[in-house]
Amino acid sequence: MNIKKVISGLVVALTLSNCTQDKTSSHHTASENQSFIPENAVSVNKDKNTVKERFSPPEGYEWIKEKSDSFGYFIENFKLKPYGSPILKYDGSSISTQHLHEAVFDIDTGNKDLQQCADAVIRMRAEYLYKIKKADDIKFHFTSGDLLSWNDYKNGTRAFVNGNSVSFRKTAGFDDSYQNFRNYLELIFNYAGTISLNKETKPVTENSHLKTGDILITPGSPGHVVFVAGVCENTAGKKLFLLAEGFTPAQSIHLLSNPFNKNISPWYDLDVNAPETKTARYIFKPTNFRSF
């Protein structure tokens, strides 16, 4: 059963902290009828299966190397679905807008409307930490401020919500299986969002510090978040970036095209100090880059 629909007071606040369909207003951009420059100067290796292999940098740029144990390496080498794969909702149906993405990450969305925008970032971060066996670092706050770690959950701790109050009690036995890890994430998806994710991360104030795995976020209602999925650089130190996201309703995590500059799409020219940052499906105003 979807806990979001059962618990009232706290859920209202937490649901509002996630990206919502209200973003079809002034913050939603790039309609299906918009005309774009048809040419794309970036080579897309359609037969390749990872972010780094599929998307070549523009001429004069090279991929920045990531350490093999980093979050950035995990994202850049993440498996993609075959080129041209559609974005699917959690129920298996296609979303209506299919022209604003360049790739779909090969990761499930679950079968509930839970893994939305902030949850997609949480899922990627948690899967990375799970893979490199850093269980102590898998911990996320609810929007209420309450913290629940994977270590506590796998040892039987469960959340109990009464109105706007959250308490934790040990009611289950030890279970460190992957399925229980997914159960933990579903609970986090229910009660975390852009507000809690914003508080869990640190601001990125210089372009030179912006890296793969960092996020661009608007906390609140409506809120949204995208994550940096790749970085390339030229000899002058100029960087370009790939962006990816989840969305509402819960749907495939996907890598965005750049409808504002098709000559470098899907790469983006980003500035942490810009008053606003336009992405294919959302305008972030103000610009708010943050890092784990």
Side-chain angles (χ1 to χ4, degrees):
M1 182 178 292
N2 189 337
I3 307 175
K4 279 183 178 177
K5 297 181 180 178
V6 177
I7 304 170
S8 56
L10 181 64
V11 171
V12 170
L14 300 184
T15 301
L16 289 176
S17 70
N18 284 315
C19 44
T20 71
Q21 292 178 325
D22 290 338
K23 289 196 296 297
T24 54
S25 60
S26 60
H27 284 280
H28 219 161
T29 185
S31 68
E32 295 190 28
N33 294 324
Q34 187 170 347
S35 296
F36 302 133
I37 301 171
E39 294 301 322
N40 188 335
V42 175
S43 174
V44 177
N45 306 305
K46 298 180 181 180
D47 60 331
K48 300 299 183 180
N49 295 324
T50 66
V51 175
K52 189 171 183 178
E53 290 177 334
R54 185 172 295 178
F55 298 103
S56 299
E59 185 175 354
Y61 287 78
E62 292 185 356
W63 274 90
I64 290 181
K65 292 183 179 180
E66 290 278 350
K67 295 181 179 179
S68 60
D69 62 347
S70 69
F71 188 33
Y73 185 91
F74 174 80
I75 292 174
E76 291 175 358
N77 291 279
F78 203 92
K79 185 179 178 182
L80 301 174
K81 290 187 176 182
Y83 185 82
S85 293
I87 297 172
L88 301 179
K89 301 176 189 176
Y90 65 95
D91 61 3
S93 63
S94 298
I95 68 167
S96 59
T97 305
Q98 294 286 351
H99 70 291
L100 296 176
H101 72 282
E102 282 291 336
V104 173
F105 285 69
D106 191 5
I107 186 169
D108 71 273
T109 312
N111 56 11
K112 303 173 185 176
D113 190 7
L114 293 177
Q115 190 175 290
Q116 300 176 1
C117 61
D119 314 300
V121 173
I122 291 170
R123 175 77 186 279
M124 295 292 287
R125 181 69 180 176
E127 291 281 359
Y128 156 68
L129 293 170
Y130 188 91
K131 181 178 181 180
I132 65 172
K133 303 185 186 306
K134 287 192 173 181
D136 293 348
D137 294 335
I138 304 175
K139 49 191 175 183
F140 299 96
H141 289 84
F142 294 176
T143 299
S144 61
D146 297 280
L147 179 69
L148 181 60
S149 70
W150 163 232
N151 279 342
D152 286 339
Y153 189 90
K154 72 182 181 184
N155 281 297
T157 298
R158 298 294 182 265
F160 294 86
V161 180
N162 183 14
N164 292 325
S165 176
V166 181
S167 61
F168 298 97
R169 297 196 298 274
K170 181 177 171 61
T171 61
F174 175 81
D175 183 356
D176 66 348
S177 67
Y178 181 74
Q179 180 56 57
N180 201 43
F181 173 66
R182 292 296 303 275
N183 295 341
Y184 163 73
L185 287 180
E186 282 202 0
L187 180 63
I188 296 299
F189 296 165
N190 266 292
Y191 296 122
T194 53
I195 292 174
S196 59
L197 190 58
N198 186 68
K199 291 179 179 178
E200 289 178 342
T201 48
K202 301 171 292 186
V204 179
T205 58
E206 296 182 31
N207 289 325
S208 60
H209 294 167
L210 191 59
K211 64 185 183 303
T212 304
D214 289 348
I215 62 175
L216 172 59
I217 187 167
T218 295
S221 175
H224 191 49
V225 58
V226 300
F227 62 92
V228 178
V231 185
C232 65
E233 186 177 27
N234 65 13
T235 55
K238 174 70 175 177
K239 293 181 179 180
L240 297 175
F241 306 85
L242 298 173
L243 297 176
E245 67 177 10
F247 217 85
T248 301
Q251 58 193 251
S252 309
I253 299 175
H254 51 277
L255 190 141
L256 293 166
S257 61
N258 182 354
F260 310 104
N261 189 345
K262 289 296 282 185
N263 287 330
I264 62 170
S265 182
W267 297 90
Y268 280 78
D269 184 358
L270 302 175
D271 181 358
V272 300
N273 297 309
E276 68 177 28
T277 298
K278 294 180 180 180
T279 66
R281 301 177 70 188
Y282 193 87
I283 299 175
F284 292 86
K285 187 176 183 177
T287 296
N288 179 30
F289 281 101
R290 304 184 71 85
S291 179
F292 286 99

PDB file of all heavy atoms in Angstrom, residues 201-214:
ATOM      1  N   THR A 201      23.156  18.341   1.531  1.00  0.00           N
ATOM      2  CA  THR A 201      24.255  18.617   0.605  1.00  0.00           C
ATOM      3  C   THR A 201      24.856  19.994   0.873  1.00  0.00           C
ATOM      4  O   THR A 201      24.251  20.837   1.540  1.00  0.00           O
ATOM      5  CB  THR A 201      23.754  18.534  -0.847  1.00  0.00           C
ATOM      6  OG1 THR A 201      22.532  19.304  -0.974  1.00  0.00           O
ATOM      7  CG2 THR A 201      23.464  17.094  -1.238  1.00  0.00           C
ATOM      8  N   LYS A 202      26.050  20.203   0.326  1.00  0.00           N
ATOM      9  CA  LYS A 202      26.781  21.453   0.548  1.00  0.00           C
ATOM     10  C   LYS A 202      26.813  22.280  -0.734  1.00  0.00           C
ATOM     11  O   LYS A 202      26.890  21.723  -1.834  1.00  0.00           O
ATOM     12  CB  LYS A 202      28.208  21.143   0.989  1.00  0.00           C
ATOM     13  CG  LYS A 202      28.307  20.323   2.270  1.00  0.00           C
ATOM     14  CD  LYS A 202      29.728  19.872   2.538  1.00  0.00           C
ATOM     15  CE  LYS A 202      30.195  18.855   1.507  1.00  0.00           C
ATOM     16  NZ  LYS A 202      31.539  18.297   1.824  1.00  0.00           N
ATOM     17  N   PRO A 203      26.767  23.596  -0.625  1.00  0.00           N
ATOM     18  CA  PRO A 203      26.772  24.428  -1.836  1.00  0.00           C
ATOM     19  C   PRO A 203      28.076  24.340  -2.617  1.00  0.00           C
ATOM     20  O   PRO A 203      29.157  24.217  -2.043  1.00  0.00           O
ATOM     21  CB  PRO A 203      26.556  25.849  -1.288  1.00  0.00           C
ATOM     22  CG  PRO A 203      26.977  25.784   0.140  1.00  0.00           C
ATOM     23  CD  PRO A 203      26.683  24.393   0.607  1.00  0.00           C
ATOM     24  N   VAL A 204      27.952  24.364  -3.943  1.00  0.00           N
ATOM     25  CA  VAL A 204      29.105  24.458  -4.839  1.00  0.00           C
ATOM     26  C   VAL A 204      29.165  25.904  -5.317  1.00  0.00           C
ATOM     27  O   VAL A 204      28.256  26.370  -6.004  1.00  0.00           O
ATOM     28  CB  VAL A 204      28.975  23.500  -6.038  1.00  0.00           C
ATOM     29  CG1 VAL A 204      30.176  23.651  -6.967  1.00  0.00           C
ATOM     30  CG2 VAL A 204      28.844  22.063  -5.560  1.00  0.00           C
ATOM     31  N   THR A 205      30.207  26.612  -4.963  1.00  0.00           N
ATOM     32  CA  THR A 205      30.269  28.056  -5.220  1.00  0.00           C
ATOM     33  C   THR A 205      31.238  28.445  -6.333  1.00  0.00           C
ATOM     34  O   THR A 205      31.307  29.609  -6.713  1.00  0.00           O
ATOM     35  CB  THR A 205      30.657  28.804  -3.933  1.00  0.00           C
ATOM     36  OG1 THR A 205      31.916  28.302  -3.459  1.00  0.00           O
ATOM     37  CG2 THR A 205      29.596  28.596  -2.850  1.00  0.00           C
ATOM     38  N   GLU A 206      31.986  27.464  -6.866  1.00  0.00           N
ATOM     39  CA  GLU A 206      32.928  27.757  -7.942  1.00  0.00           C
ATOM     40  C   GLU A 206      32.753  26.746  -9.069  1.00  0.00           C
ATOM     41  O   GLU A 206      32.600  25.548  -8.829  1.00  0.00           O
ATOM     42  CB  GLU A 206      34.375  27.707  -7.434  1.00  0.00           C
ATOM     43  CG  GLU A 206      34.696  28.755  -6.388  1.00  0.00           C
ATOM     44  CD  GLU A 206      36.151  28.712  -5.949  1.00  0.00           C
ATOM     45  OE1 GLU A 206      36.992  28.339  -6.787  1.00  0.00           O
ATOM     46  OE2 GLU A 206      36.430  29.048  -4.788  1.00  0.00           O
ATOM     47  N   ASN A 207      32.784  27.245 -10.295  1.00  0.00           N
ATOM     48  CA  ASN A 207      32.620  26.363 -11.458  1.00  0.00           C
ATOM     49  C   ASN A 207      33.682  25.263 -11.484  1.00  0.00           C
ATOM     50  O   ASN A 207      33.410  24.136 -11.894  1.00  0.00           O
ATOM     51  CB  ASN A 207      32.683  27.174 -12.753  1.00  0.00           C
ATOM     52  CG  ASN A 207      31.452  28.039 -12.953  1.00  0.00           C
ATOM     53  OD1 ASN A 207      30.350  27.650 -12.588  1.00  0.00           O
ATOM     54  ND2 ASN A 207      31.642  29.223 -13.522  1.00  0.00           N
ATOM     55  N   SER A 208      34.876  25.595 -11.038  1.00  0.00           N
ATOM     56  CA  SER A 208      35.971  24.629 -11.075  1.00  0.00           C
ATOM     57  C   SER A 208      35.729  23.446 -10.138  1.00  0.00           C
ATOM     58  O   SER A 208      36.349  22.395 -10.286  1.00  0.00           O
ATOM     59  CB  SER A 208      37.296  25.309 -10.715  1.00  0.00           C
ATOM     60  OG  SER A 208      37.238  25.875  -9.414  1.00  0.00           O
ATOM     61  N   HIS A 209      34.832  23.620  -9.180  1.00  0.00           N
ATOM     62  CA  HIS A 209      34.553  22.556  -8.219  1.00  0.00           C
ATOM     63  C   HIS A 209      33.368  21.682  -8.626  1.00  0.00           C
ATOM     64  O   HIS A 209      33.133  20.643  -8.002  1.00  0.00           O
ATOM     65  CB  HIS A 209      34.269  23.160  -6.841  1.00  0.00           C
ATOM     66  CG  HIS A 209      35.450  23.840  -6.230  1.00  0.00           C
ATOM     67  ND1 HIS A 209      35.352  24.674  -5.126  1.00  0.00           N
ATOM     68  CD2 HIS A 209      36.769  23.827  -6.579  1.00  0.00           C
ATOM     69  CE1 HIS A 209      36.549  25.137  -4.818  1.00  0.00           C
ATOM     70  NE2 HIS A 209      37.424  24.648  -5.684  1.00  0.00           N
ATOM     71  N   LEU A 210      32.639  22.080  -9.651  1.00  0.00           N
ATOM     72  CA  LEU A 210      31.449  21.340 -10.059  1.00  0.00           C
ATOM     73  C   LEU A 210      31.864  20.035 -10.729  1.00  0.00           C
ATOM     74  O   LEU A 210      32.675  20.029 -11.650  1.00  0.00           O
ATOM     75  CB  LEU A 210      30.620  22.194 -11.019  1.00  0.00           C
ATOM     76  CG  LEU A 210      29.213  21.698 -11.355  1.00  0.00           C
ATOM     77  CD1 LEU A 210      28.353  21.567 -10.108  1.00  0.00           C
ATOM     78  CD2 LEU A 210      28.551  22.657 -12.353  1.00  0.00           C
ATOM     79  N   LYS A 211      31.286  18.927 -10.278  1.00  0.00           N
ATOM     80  CA  LYS A 211      31.740  17.613 -10.749  1.00  0.00           C
ATOM     81  C   LYS A 211      30.562  16.670 -10.954  1.00  0.00           C
ATOM     82  O   LYS A 211      29.432  16.941 -10.521  1.00  0.00           O
ATOM     83  CB  LYS A 211      32.725  17.005  -9.747  1.00  0.00           C
ATOM     84  CG  LYS A 211      32.115  16.714  -8.386  1.00  0.00           C
ATOM     85  CD  LYS A 211      33.164  16.239  -7.406  1.00  0.00           C
ATOM     86  CE  LYS A 211      32.549  15.864  -6.059  1.00  0.00           C
ATOM     87  NZ  LYS A 211      31.781  16.948  -5.426  1.00  0.00           N
ATOM     88  N   THR A 212      30.846  15.544 -11.583  1.00  0.00           N
ATOM     89  CA  THR A 212      29.834  14.511 -11.776  1.00  0.00           C
ATOM     90  C   THR A 212      29.331  14.023 -10.418  1.00  0.00           C
ATOM     91  O   THR A 212      30.118  13.762  -9.515  1.00  0.00           O
ATOM     92  CB  THR A 212      30.410  13.317 -12.560  1.00  0.00           C
ATOM     93  OG1 THR A 212      30.932  13.792 -13.803  1.00  0.00           O
ATOM     94  CG2 THR A 212      29.342  12.271 -12.829  1.00  0.00           C
ATOM     95  N   GLY A 213      28.013  13.913 -10.293  1.00  0.00           N
ATOM     96  CA  GLY A 213      27.395  13.512  -9.034  1.00  0.00           C
ATOM     97  C   GLY A 213      26.838  14.674  -8.248  1.00  0.00           C
ATOM     98  O   GLY A 213      26.023  14.480  -7.330  1.00  0.00           O
ATOM     99  N   ASP A 214      27.250  15.907  -8.572  1.00  0.00           N
ATOM    100  CA  ASP A 214      26.673  17.078  -7.923  1.00  0.00           C
ATOM    101  C   ASP A 214      25.249  17.288  -8.428  1.00  0.00           C
ATOM    102  O   ASP A 214      24.854  16.758  -9.469  1.00  0.00           O
ATOM    103  CB  ASP A 214      27.517  18.315  -8.190  1.00  0.00           C
ATOM    104  CG  ASP A 214      28.852  18.288  -7.451  1.00  0.00           C
ATOM    105  OD1 ASP A 214      29.015  17.431  -6.564  1.00  0.00           O
ATOM    106  OD2 ASP A 214      29.731  19.120  -7.781  1.00  0.00           O
TER     107      ASP A 214
END
